[in-house]
Amino acid sequence: MNYPLSKKILEEIKKANKILVNCHRSPDADSAGSALALYEVLASFAKDVKVICPDKLPEDLKFLPFSEKVEKIDFEKFDFTPYDLFIVLDSRNAAMVTKKRDMPLPKNKKIVIDHHKTNESFAEINLVDDEISSTAELLYDIFEDWGTGVTKSVAQNLLTGIIADTGVFAYSKVSARTLQIALFLMEKGADKNEIILNIFRSYPFNKVKFWGEILKRMEWDEEHHFVWSAVPYEVYKNFDNPASAKASAASLFAPVIKGTNFGMIMVEEEKGILSISLRGRTDFDVSKIAEKLGGGGHLSAAGAKLYEKDFDAAVLKVLETARKIVNEN
Ligand SMILES: [Mn+2]
């Protein structure tokens, strides 16, 4: 038994007939892979399962088995009343689930399964393990606790979540156990090459060109040991609003510069909304900065959104917050 709560979660699932599973806003590979793996397992228990998301699943995740099951919904309009249980995956708070800033979650019984350090434990049952690489790895352990067999498609969905959330097994939360699980999933038929090709080698050309803008604007704060770049909406929109360009640029360029502890990529993705991705290079905890800005995340990968009309003021606020936290640590 990996988690004492696994049994309690299974009991709630057994009692339920109609179950909702979510993908979080701007769904990433861990969110979608986890949701679709859980979808398949719950369906194999003869449950009526629906996977809901406040955004559309991005094209580059359509290779995932059962990806057609992800349904974009508006949380303000969707009828939650027929559902007995809502299982919330890979989401640290309500806003990440609904994409609305101040909307409470529906009243359905909820279970949270997550690996974000800053998870707000907002359900009746909360299984949060911030020592684990990904929600997909956590789900693998839960399935093992349940004694559920892993099909080829469950293996593919889980391995996708693990590979994506670990930057191909590079990040610090990758343990020997993570690698053992990956080995087992590949033995079950998961196709590592297909995952790498789709997640790390299928960037649209406009996205890569946009990264050029990010790099061109990158600054080095030598005193506080970080790099940062900020792109206003007027520039972003000229590149046809490339999806998740900021997060992937952050993973690629923010934590790789000698002499720094971390990097921050800021993109005004909607007019008046500055979206920030932070990535750590050393053991400096970037989630502290994200939390101060109203966001959250992990030790070496975190994010936040600032709702601030003036772009320069928003950027300044991020820089001042970062410098303050660096000085305090
Ligand atoms: Mn995740």
Side-chain angles (χ1 to χ4, degrees):
M1 182 61 83
N2 294 294
Y3 294 100
L5 274 179
S6 295
K7 208 172 142 213
K8 233 173 124 183
I9 293 173
L10 185 59
E11 280 163 14
E12 290 301 332
I13 289 169
K14 281 182 176 160
K15 278 193 268 174
N17 280 316
K18 287 174 82 70
I19 303 177
L20 288 171
V21 175
N22 83 310
C23 290
H24 61 64
R25 69 177 176 213
S26 312
D28 61 15
D30 188 32
S31 169
S34 297
L36 296 171
L38 183 61
Y39 166 84
E40 189 183 336
V41 167
L42 295 179
S44 78
F45 296 165
K47 302 296 174 185
D48 181 353
V49 194
K50 191 190 272 296
V51 184
I52 54 171
C53 184
D55 286 310
K56 267 194 353 210
L57 199 65
E59 279 305 311
D60 56 2
L61 294 177
K62 296 265 167 82
F63 78 99
L64 291 174
F66 299 105
S67 61
E68 73 283 358
K69 297 289 177 190
V70 180
E71 201 177 300
K72 184 184 174 205
I73 66 147
D74 183 336
F75 274 76
E76 270 166 311
K77 293 184 186 134
F78 186 79
D79 181 11
F80 287 91
T81 50
Y83 295 91
D84 309 309
L85 186 62
F86 185 9
I87 304 182
V88 178
L89 300 173
D90 201 42
S91 309
R92 61 183 177 77
N93 61 15
M96 227 170 138
V97 180
T98 63
K99 208 189 175 182
K100 316 263 179 205
R101 249 197 303 171
D102 300 307
M103 198 192 139
L105 284 169
K107 296 222 177 320
N108 310 60
K109 180 170 271 187
K110 285 176 281 297
I111 295 172
V112 159
I113 298 173
D114 188 27
H115 71 123
H116 288 84
K117 195 162 100 82
T118 51
N119 188 288
E120 292 171 13
S121 295
F122 48 90
E124 282 83 350
I125 300 174
N126 302 282
L127 203 178
V128 179
D129 184 350
D130 66 12
E131 286 303 314
I132 209 156
S133 73
S134 51
T135 298
E137 184 178 341
L138 181 51
L139 269 184
Y140 176 88
D141 284 336
I142 294 170
F143 295 163
E144 195 178 77
D145 291 342
W146 293 349
T148 313
V150 170
T151 64
K152 186 179 173 182
S153 39
V154 166
Q156 182 73 344
N157 277 317
L158 292 181
L159 189 62
T160 300
I162 293 172
I163 287 182
D165 254 27
T166 59
V168 201
F169 307 112
Y171 301 159
S172 59
K173 289 287 157 71
V174 173
S175 63
R177 167 97 179 137
T178 315
L179 297 175
Q180 276 169 345
I181 290 171
L183 165 73
F184 178 81
L185 295 173
M186 284 180 72
E187 282 174 350
K188 286 287 170 183
D191 184 345
K192 178 211 48 136
N193 294 345
E194 189 192 29
I195 297 168
I196 302 284
L197 181 68
N198 280 283
I199 305 286
F200 293 101
R201 295 183 179 172
S202 295
Y203 299 126
F205 190 63
N206 64 319
K207 189 161 163 173
V208 178
K209 296 298 275 183
F210 178 67
W211 290 345
E213 289 293 330
I214 290 176
L215 287 173
K216 208 168 78 186
R217 285 154 208 265
M218 192 177 268
E219 303 273 350
W220 181 11
D221 184 331
E222 283 195 60
E223 191 192 333
H224 299 92
H225 307 286
F226 67 83
V227 287
W228 62 278
S229 179
V231 184
Y233 181 70
E234 290 69 25
V235 174
Y236 177 67
K237 75 165 194 278
N238 285 341
F239 288 84
D240 207 16
N241 306 7
S244 67
K246 171 205 47 126
S248 41
S251 298
L252 281 166
F253 310 121
V256 297
I257 293 146
K258 198 171 176 177
T260 64
N261 286 327
F262 65 95
M264 303 191 291
I265 307 297
M266 307 171 227
V267 177
E268 193 182 15
E269 290 177 337
E270 285 172 58
K271 193 71 201 146
I273 303 177
L274 186 68
S275 191
I276 307 127
S277 284
L278 303 99
R279 296 290 184 274
R281 176 173 174 266
T282 57
D283 57 5
F284 181 86
D285 185 356
V286 296
S287 75
K288 284 185 186 164
I289 299 170
E291 271 190 278
K292 257 272 155 25
L293 296 167
H298 312 282
L299 183 113
S300 49
K305 271 181 202 295
L306 276 192
Y307 299 80
E308 168 87 54
K309 277 201 188 73
D310 185 62
F311 173 76
D312 293 327
V315 172
L316 192 64
K317 190 172 170 188
V318 173
L319 293 174
E320 281 174 349
T321 305
R323 285 166 186 151
K324 189 163 176 270
I325 287 175
V326 168
N327 290 337
E328 283 167 7
N329 283 273

